Amino acid sequence: MSTSGSLREPLLQCFSRLYTDLLSSIDPAGSDTDTFHCHYITFTPTRSFLRGPFPTHSNRIIRKYSGFEDHFIRVAFRDEDLLPYRESSEVDVKSLIRECVGSVLSQGFDIDSRHYDFLGYSMVGLRNHSLWFMSTFTHPDFGDVTPDKVRSSLGDFERVLKSPSMYGARLAQAFTSTVPTVLMSPEEWELVEDIGSKPYQFTDGAVTISKSLGREIWSILRSKGLYDGLEPSAYQIRFKEFKGMLTVDTHLDETGGVRMRLRKSMKKFETSDEPAELEIVKAFDRPHGCYLSRPLVLILENLGVEPNIFVKLQERAISDLLNSDELSKSFHRMMEGCRLGHAFRLSSIIKQTMQLVRQSEPRLAEHFLRSPFVREVAQVVKTTVLQDIKYGARVPIPGSFLLVGVPDGGPAYKKAGQANVFTLQPGQIYACIQYPDDLEPTLLSGPFLIFRSPVMHPGDVQKVYAIGKPPENMFCAFEHLKNVVVLPSVGTRSLASCLGGGDLDGDTYSIISYQPLFPPIIVDPAEYSDLAPAQLPENRGAEAQDICDFIVDFMTCDALGQLSDRLLDMLAYGVSLEIHNKVAVNIVAGRPKETELDHLGRHAADYPKRGHPVTVDHDNLPRSPHRQKPDWRRISGPEDTKGYYTSTSALGRMFRSISIEELATRSSVMDHRLIFSISPVIRSLVEQYLVPSDGDVTQLAALFSKYVRELDHIRYSHSLSYSSERRLSEAEIVAGTILCRDSPKQWRKQRIDQMNVHATAVVGELRRALHVPYDLCGAGREELLGALGRGWEAWSYVSSRDAGDGVGSFSVIVLGVVLDCHRFLSR
């Protein structure tokens, strides 16, 4: 803290000075446009809390008004305990929401001299009751920028304007977190027809790009340090008025100028033909593991899979977890599968360190792994995985994968006149798997189960056949694709629609080859039909106030959680869905009142877009034989048994067999200095290219102090409680998780996501301070040598400090700098 102020400095002047010092220390998320420092405010019925600014993923709107980011603010609505609003027998929550939330949405609010009004939301934000507001400002190119002007600048929404929910959903495309890549001119893309017909189009939301364009996109993403896997075959995108999936088509390079094809099913509104950036939501650069879940276990058990199968899978997973060490391949796959340690690139750094150190000093490698900080982070990782197994039945399934779905483009080539085209037939899939450290890809063949989460109906799980290698003497549109699952584009109905009403605009599908999980019967898929969007009763277009009214309605009528819980309860008792899964409801006037519970869940999931609330008559909902909940629904200790019964289902047996305390005695109490025992090996790596020095200790001390302040900021900002006693540990931040689970699942997930975005930005800021190039592949030798020297200086400095906050995580970051620079210099 600065001491330049007088001991009698006025409070406001002191605050102003400290705030100026803080702003001067904030890196505006570096030179990239992927994150920015965003302010947050939370409204409860009686209070408001300001948070931030801290790094947040950027979007199309923020990038357009670069330099004016501080005029945009994220607004969350919470109950007094800062958790999401929920039903209460003591309070009329619906009236409370209409009064407290409705007034802020309609009237806006003031912070200092600025007035903020509602702007919009992303679909994830709506679910989490987190919205975007803005204050009007004057832009040198766009003049006075108001919320209405921002919304109208996004495009022409005439065809959805009479439906507030659909209008809000289309605006939400611009609020999706994306990374800008290639600037596309109108002559570089064309509009093509979909394969199939509504409501079950085979190509709903999916299209192709040339290989050259795919490589340009990948080069930009790699240069930003966002991905480190294999060059993807597929990307999820936003582009102008389009949203969906891009799949690389190696044949498209032969057509000349056209580099991207877009489909009508991807077009959501109208815009001009001006050039625009291709925005990436996600790149699929590796396969992911497939896991059990509570709904899946219940569905498969009801279809005849023996409970012992699930119990044995869980026992195997726990044995692997407890017996794995930080060097094992299974441990690192586990970290990558659970997205743990991603912000600090922990798995990669540990693997590289051990490969280098073990070659010269095996004893030092063992010391490094036994250091308290490494062991503590490993324990947090293992505890998180164990918690996921106990409280979510998240058990890895052998020989199974989670892959994004894409269509077989063969029928389109056949229609265009291509001869001898091989196409997938109904019931067939194609998948080719390759992890970043695999030398060769693996073609999948044989029978598989396929489903899309969440499963709600027995027919959501289907059986398919993976074809393996396509015929060599035929034209195949998909044989080059990796880490995707290709679905057939022929038949009477798309396979995606059979799997819980899915499509191909970014949905991921689990494929299981583990035959003990194959049920003795496969049920026909359910029919899923979309409701027409709810429209205003008057013959007029929706305005901002209509969207605000819909948000309030959504917050008061969102029944998805209730229906999902009731469906789990029904499945837990083995009640036949086909016979008993009926409920008296009134979805919309004119629709039948007898609707299956799983269909109600689908309509509740569509409520944010379609605008039809699912009004449930609780008296007529199917009820279980017990008034109590099954014991596997508990989230607290074993002593909390009130209101729960002992479930004899597979989930009950799985839940009771796990003790989270199993890992408590496995932590290390050895000297923290062990993490720096590898210094001689690291120094020898540096000496291959330059003479190591200690650097400017004053500058390094300032850099370390700034990092520790940011670490504290993360600890308090993203904790599940604003109490100073509940701050996050350094090991939790590095592992990328929050161990506390006494809060709603979505609230905890949101906090973890925000924490990881913030941590990623802080790590990036430290690497930039050490002059590490963004694009290591394209960096020159002098750039790499400079970063290598500064990385060693930072490692040398932190290794000389006593134990304390930030030492462990700072050392991991600077160790990664040295290893990265050495790896690219050695190439």
Side-chain angles (χ1 to χ4, degrees):
M1 180 180 293
S2 171
T3 58
S4 59
S6 161
L7 292 177
R8 297 184 178 275
E9 184 178 18
L11 180 62
L12 187 60
Q13 182 178 331
C14 176
F15 176 81
S16 177
R17 175 175 53 79
L18 292 174
Y19 182 67
T20 301
D21 290 345
L22 174 63
L23 288 183
S24 65
S25 71
I26 290 179
D27 180 346
S31 59
D32 66 280
T33 55
D34 309 326
T35 57
F36 74 106
H37 280 83
C38 182
H39 292 85
Y40 286 70
I41 185 170
T42 300
F43 285 97
T44 75
T46 63
R47 301 173 291 171
S48 61
F49 294 88
L50 289 168
R51 300 172 58 224
F54 43 77
T56 302
H57 282 309
S58 186
N59 58 51
R60 185 183 303 177
I61 291 173
I62 297 299
R63 288 191 292 271
K64 180 176 180 179
Y65 300 107
S66 177
F68 294 84
E69 293 91 346
D70 61 327
H71 288 267
F72 297 86
I73 190 169
R74 294 291 296 272
V75 178
F77 296 99
R78 297 286 183 264
D79 210 340
E80 285 302 324
D81 56 5
L82 300 183
L83 297 178
Y85 283 101
R86 54 203 180 279
E87 286 190 352
S88 170
S89 59
E90 301 175 353
V91 179
D92 183 354
V93 176
K94 292 186 177 181
S95 297
L96 190 65
I97 291 174
R98 292 190 183 281
E99 178 181 348
C100 299
V101 177
S103 61
V104 175
L105 285 169
S106 299
Q107 301 168 23
F109 58 89
D110 294 315
I111 299 179
D112 195 19
S113 59
R114 290 181 181 175
H115 180 78
Y116 290 84
D117 288 307
F118 169 75
L119 177 61
Y121 53 78
S122 67
M123 298 306 285
V124 172
L126 178 62
R127 284 281 187 203
N128 293 329
H129 303 170
S130 178
L131 316 172
W132 285 97
F133 278 58
M134 67 165 288
S135 63
T136 297
F137 59 90
T138 302
H139 192 279
D141 298 327
F142 305 110
D144 290 339
V145 180
T146 66
D148 283 335
K149 188 171 183 178
V150 171
R151 286 188 290 265
S152 63
S153 71
L154 297 176
D156 181 359
F157 300 90
E158 182 64 31
R159 58 178 175 171
V160 297
L161 211 50
K162 293 183 180 180
S163 171
S165 61
M166 190 63 79
Y167 180 30
R170 296 305 179 231
L171 289 170
Q173 283 184 223
F175 293 96
T176 302
S177 299
T178 56
V179 179
T181 58
V182 181
L183 183 67
M184 300 293 292
S185 300
E187 63 271 12
E188 294 183 287
W189 58 273
E190 65 179 2
L191 200 62
V192 297
E193 295 291 332
D194 277 281
I195 301 175
S197 57
K198 293 183 178 181
Y200 300 131
Q201 289 176 328
F202 298 110
T203 54
D204 187 7
V207 78
T208 57
I209 58 171
S210 67
K211 187 173 182 178
S212 61
L213 178 55
R215 285 190 168 170
E216 280 189 49
I217 296 170
W218 183 236
S219 175
I220 293 173
L221 295 178
R222 285 292 300 267
S223 71
K224 293 173 178 286
L226 299 175
Y227 294 91
D228 59 359
L230 299 172
E231 183 175 337
S233 295
Y235 300 89
Q236 188 178 20
I237 60 109
R238 299 291 185 268
F239 175 67
K240 296 167 71 70
E241 69 267 40
F242 298 92
K243 66 184 289 282
M245 284 292 301
L246 299 180
T247 303
V248 173
D249 181 354
T250 56
H251 306 285
L252 193 55
D253 290 275
E254 304 166 5
T255 62
V258 174
R259 309 180 72 197
M260 177 170 67
R261 288 173 174 153
L262 299 172
R263 300 191 190 277
K264 292 182 178 180
S265 60
M266 302 172 67
K267 187 171 184 172
K268 307 304 179 181
F269 50 94
E270 301 290 336
T271 62
S272 66
D273 286 336
E274 295 177 354
E277 288 177 320
L278 187 56
E279 303 170 43
I280 304 301
V281 178
K282 186 174 183 180
F284 297 89
D285 64 335
R286 68 190 66 211
H288 293 284
C290 174
Y291 297 81
L292 292 176
S293 65
R294 285 178 169 177
L296 180 64
V297 170
L298 291 169
I299 287 285
L300 292 179
E301 188 177 7
N302 274 270
L303 288 174
V305 177
E306 291 295 327
N308 282 339
I309 301 298
F310 305 107
V311 174
K312 288 179 179 178
L313 268 180
Q314 177 173 283
E315 290 173 348
R316 172 179 170 177
I318 293 175
S319 176
D320 289 345
L321 172 69
L322 297 181
N323 294 320
S324 65
D325 61 33
E326 293 74 15
L327 279 179
S328 66
K329 193 172 184 179
S330 62
F331 180 80
H332 293 285
R333 283 276 169 90
M334 176 178 64
M335 287 187 66
E336 292 166 0
C338 298
R339 299 288 289 173
L340 296 173
H342 181 70
F344 286 77
R345 297 174 52 245
L346 186 64
S347 176
S348 174
I349 289 172
I350 291 178
K351 283 193 291 186
Q352 288 184 68
T353 302
M354 291 302 97
Q355 288 170 1
L356 290 168
V357 176
R358 274 196 160 179
Q359 291 174 7
S360 55
E361 293 286 349
R363 179 180 56 85
L364 297 184
E366 183 65 23
H367 285 177
F368 176 81
L369 291 178
R370 290 167 59 198
S371 65
F373 182 73
V374 173
R375 294 297 296 271
E376 184 182 0
V377 172
Q379 181 176 318
V380 168
V381 168
K382 291 183 178 182
T383 302
T384 298
V385 173
L386 197 63
Q387 288 178 334
D388 287 343
I389 294 174
K390 183 176 181 69
Y391 298 113
R394 194 175 189 271
V395 177
I397 306 172
S400 304
F401 305 94
L402 177 67
L403 304 169
V404 69
V406 301
D408 174 12
Y413 274 99
K414 185 181 290 187
K415 185 177 179 180
Q418 176 68 45
N420 198 28
V421 177
F422 175 77
T423 59
L424 293 173
Q425 297 305 299
Q428 294 181 332
I429 63 169
Y430 172 83
C432 178
I433 304 301
Q434 186 173 10
Y435 288 95
D437 53 356
D438 289 345
L439 296 178
E440 296 292 336
T442 301
L443 286 165
L444 303 185
S445 61
F448 280 80
L449 293 182
I450 186 170
F451 63 93
R452 183 182 72 98
S453 293
V455 289
M456 293 187 178
H457 183 278
D460 289 348
V461 180
Q462 293 294 307
K463 189 175 181 179
V464 292
Y465 187 85
I467 65 165
K469 187 176 182 180
E472 293 184 357
N473 60 345
M474 299 183 71
F475 176 92
C476 182
F478 55 77
E479 62 185 349
H480 60 285
L481 300 180
K482 296 178 183 178
N483 299 328
V484 301
V485 55
V486 183
L487 307 185
S489 298
V490 297
T492 58
R493 180 180 176 183
S494 68
L495 177 57
S497 71
C498 297
L499 306 174
D503 55 30
L504 298 179
D505 68 352
D507 287 359
T508 52
Y509 297 86
S510 296
I511 55 174
I512 299 175
S513 64
Y514 187 67
Q515 297 214 7
L517 288 178
F518 283 31
I521 58 172
I522 296 293
V523 176
D524 289 339
E527 294 284 342
Y528 294 104
S529 57
D530 290 333
L531 299 175
Q535 297 193 348
L536 294 170
E538 312 91 357
N539 187 23
R540 64 176 178 84
E543 300 175 349
Q545 184 58 51
D546 297 304
I547 301 178
C548 293
D549 293 341
F550 164 70
I551 294 170
V552 172
D553 290 340
F554 175 78
M555 290 181 65
T556 58
C557 300
D558 182 15
L560 181 59
Q562 300 174 43
L563 291 169
S564 298
D565 287 345
R566 184 59 59 90
L567 181 59
L568 285 181
D569 286 344
M570 296 300 296
L571 287 168
Y573 302 114
V575 178
S576 169
L577 288 172
E578 297 301 321
I579 299 175
H580 299 285
N581 193 10
K582 302 287 182 179
V583 53
V585 327
N586 181 13
I587 302 180
V588 220
R591 284 188 60 84
K593 290 190 175 183
E594 283 297 304
T595 308
E596 293 182 350
L597 187 56
D598 54 289
H599 279 251
L600 279 183
R602 297 295 177 193
H603 289 313
D606 281 344
Y607 180 22
K609 184 167 67 174
R610 299 289 169 177
H612 294 290
V614 176
T615 306
V616 178
D617 181 353
H618 285 275
D619 293 334
N620 290 319
L621 272 177
R623 293 187 179 275
S624 66
H626 294 277
R627 293 291 181 179
Q628 297 177 316
K629 299 176 182 178
D631 56 353
W632 48 262
R633 292 275 295 275
R634 287 204 321 260
I635 60 172
S636 53
E639 68 281 353
D640 180 20
T641 59
K642 186 178 180 180
Y644 298 94
Y645 72 93
T646 302
S647 172
T648 58
S649 69
L651 284 179
R653 293 169 58 183
M654 294 166 71
F655 177 81
R656 291 189 297 273
S657 69
I658 298 179
S659 172
I660 299 298
E661 289 72 33
E662 287 184 58
L663 294 177
T665 61
R666 303 173 73 89
S667 61
S668 173
V669 293
M670 300 185 72
D671 182 7
H672 82 282
R673 306 284 307 163
L674 286 175
I675 197 170
F676 300 111
S677 61
I678 61 172
S679 288
V681 178
I682 303 304
R683 184 183 181 94
S684 68
L685 296 179
V686 177
E687 288 175 337
Q688 294 176 19
Y689 298 98
L690 49 82
V691 177
S693 70
D694 292 334
D696 187 325
V697 176
T698 302
Q699 288 185 358
L700 290 168
L703 185 64
F704 179 75
S705 296
K706 180 181 178 181
Y707 172 77
V708 172
R709 288 198 302 272
E710 280 298 321
L711 192 66
D712 277 340
H713 192 186
I714 295 174
R715 284 176 159 175
Y716 289 108
S717 297
H718 307 294
S719 169
L720 296 180
S721 168
Y722 289 146
S723 168
S724 60
E725 299 176 356
R726 294 283 299 274
R727 70 175 191 167
L728 301 173
S729 70
E730 184 176 1
E732 284 178 293
I733 295 170
V734 173
T737 188
I738 298 175
L739 292 179
C740 177
R741 290 187 178 244
D742 59 1
S743 298
K745 182 178 178 180
Q746 284 302 114
W747 168 242
R748 176 175 173 271
K749 181 180 182 301
Q750 183 182 358
R751 286 294 205 179
I752 290 175
D753 290 344
Q754 291 177 348
M755 176 189 74
N756 282 322
V757 172
H758 194 168
T760 300
V762 170
V763 171
E765 182 179 340
L766 178 54
R767 287 173 65 92
R768 285 191 294 275
L770 297 173
H771 297 184
V772 180
Y774 256 124
D775 184 6
L776 288 166
C777 293
R781 181 178 176 83
E782 292 304 315
E783 287 183 286
L784 292 172
L785 287 173
L788 177 66
R790 280 179 282 271
W792 165 257
E793 291 168 1
W795 171 268
S796 178
Y797 169 80
V798 74
S799 67
S800 67
R801 294 185 60 88
D802 294 330
D805 283 351
V807 170
S809 56
F810 188 90
S811 66
V812 168
I813 298 170
V814 298
L815 176 60
V817 170
V818 173
L819 294 175
D820 283 345
C821 293
H822 176 269
R823 178 159 54 98
F824 282 93
L825 281 167
S826 65
R827 289 182 177 182

